[in-house]
Short mmCIF file of all heavy atoms in Angstrom, two decimals:
data_model
loop_
_atom_site.label_atom_id
_atom_site.label_comp_id
_atom_site.label_asym_id
_atom_site.label_seq_id
_atom_site.Cartn_x
_atom_site.Cartn_y
_atom_site.Cartn_z
N ILE A 403 89.73 137.61 101.61
CA ILE A 403 90.25 137.47 100.25
C ILE A 403 91.19 138.62 99.90
O ILE A 403 92.28 138.42 99.36
CB ILE A 403 89.09 137.40 99.22
CG1 ILE A 403 88.37 136.06 99.33
CG2 ILE A 403 89.61 137.61 97.80
CD1 ILE A 403 87.14 135.94 98.48
N ILE A 404 90.78 139.84 100.26
CA ILE A 404 91.62 141.02 99.98
C ILE A 404 92.94 140.93 100.73
O ILE A 404 94.01 141.19 100.16
CB ILE A 404 90.87 142.32 100.36
CG1 ILE A 404 89.68 142.53 99.43
CG2 ILE A 404 91.81 143.52 100.32
CD1 ILE A 404 88.73 143.62 99.88
N ALA A 405 92.90 140.53 102.00
CA ALA A 405 94.11 140.43 102.82
C ALA A 405 95.07 139.37 102.27
O ALA A 405 96.29 139.60 102.18
CB ALA A 405 93.75 140.11 104.26
N ILE A 406 94.54 138.21 101.90
CA ILE A 406 95.39 137.14 101.37
C ILE A 406 95.95 137.52 100.01
O ILE A 406 97.13 137.29 99.72
CB ILE A 406 94.60 135.82 101.29
CG1 ILE A 406 94.30 135.32 102.71
CG2 ILE A 406 95.39 134.76 100.52
CD1 ILE A 406 93.46 134.06 102.76
N ALA A 407 95.12 138.14 99.15
CA ALA A 407 95.60 138.60 97.84
C ALA A 407 96.71 139.63 98.00
O ALA A 407 97.72 139.59 97.27
CB ALA A 407 94.45 139.18 97.04
N ALA A 408 96.57 140.52 98.97
CA ALA A 408 97.62 141.52 99.23
C ALA A 408 98.90 140.84 99.69
O ALA A 408 100.01 141.20 99.25
CB ALA A 408 97.13 142.51 100.28
N GLY A 409 98.77 139.84 100.57
CA GLY A 409 99.94 139.11 101.04
C GLY A 409 100.65 138.39 99.91
O GLY A 409 101.89 138.39 99.84
N LEU A 410 99.91 137.79 99.01
CA LEU A 410 100.51 137.09 97.86
C LEU A 410 101.19 138.08 96.92
O LEU A 410 102.26 137.78 96.35
CB LEU A 410 99.44 136.30 97.11
CG LEU A 410 98.78 135.14 97.87
CD1 LEU A 410 97.64 134.54 97.05
CD2 LEU A 410 99.80 134.06 98.22
N SER A 411 100.60 139.25 96.76
CA SER A 411 101.21 140.28 95.90
C SER A 411 102.53 140.76 96.48
O SER A 411 103.51 140.99 95.75
CB SER A 411 100.25 141.47 95.74
OG SER A 411 99.05 141.07 95.12
N ILE A 412 102.58 140.91 97.80
CA ILE A 412 103.82 141.32 98.47
C ILE A 412 104.93 140.30 98.23
O ILE A 412 106.11 140.64 98.14
CB ILE A 412 103.56 141.52 99.98
CG1 ILE A 412 102.67 142.73 100.21
CG2 ILE A 412 104.87 141.66 100.76
CD1 ILE A 412 102.19 142.89 101.63
N MET A 413 104.53 139.02 98.10
CA MET A 413 105.52 137.96 97.86
C MET A 413 105.99 137.91 96.41
O MET A 413 106.81 137.07 96.04
CB MET A 413 104.92 136.60 98.23
CG MET A 413 104.60 136.47 99.70
SD MET A 413 103.70 134.93 100.05
CE MET A 413 103.03 135.30 101.68
N GLY A 414 105.46 138.82 95.56
CA GLY A 414 105.94 138.91 94.18
C GLY A 414 105.08 138.21 93.16
O GLY A 414 105.46 138.13 91.98
N LEU A 415 103.92 137.69 93.54
CA LEU A 415 103.04 137.02 92.58
C LEU A 415 102.26 138.05 91.77
O LEU A 415 101.95 139.13 92.26
CB LEU A 415 102.07 136.08 93.30
CG LEU A 415 102.71 134.98 94.16
CD1 LEU A 415 101.63 134.09 94.75
CD2 LEU A 415 103.69 134.14 93.34
N ASP A 416 101.96 137.71 90.53
CA ASP A 416 101.25 138.64 89.65
C ASP A 416 99.80 138.82 90.12
O ASP A 416 99.28 137.99 90.88
CB ASP A 416 101.28 138.14 88.21
CG ASP A 416 100.53 136.83 88.04
OD1 ASP A 416 99.32 136.86 87.80
OD2 ASP A 416 101.18 135.76 88.18
N PRO A 417 99.14 139.89 89.70
CA PRO A 417 97.78 140.19 90.20
C PRO A 417 96.76 139.07 89.98
O PRO A 417 95.97 138.77 90.86
CB PRO A 417 97.39 141.46 89.42
CG PRO A 417 98.69 142.10 89.08
CD PRO A 417 99.65 140.98 88.85
N ILE A 418 96.77 138.45 88.78
CA ILE A 418 95.79 137.39 88.50
C ILE A 418 96.01 136.20 89.42
O ILE A 418 95.05 135.65 89.99
CB ILE A 418 95.87 136.95 87.02
CG1 ILE A 418 95.41 138.09 86.11
CG2 ILE A 418 95.03 135.70 86.78
CD1 ILE A 418 95.50 137.77 84.63
#
Side-chain angles (χ1 to χ4, degrees):
I403 288 174
I404 292 169
I406 292 176
L410 295 175
S411 298
I412 291 171
M413 296 173 197
L415 302 183
D416 64 88
I418 293 178

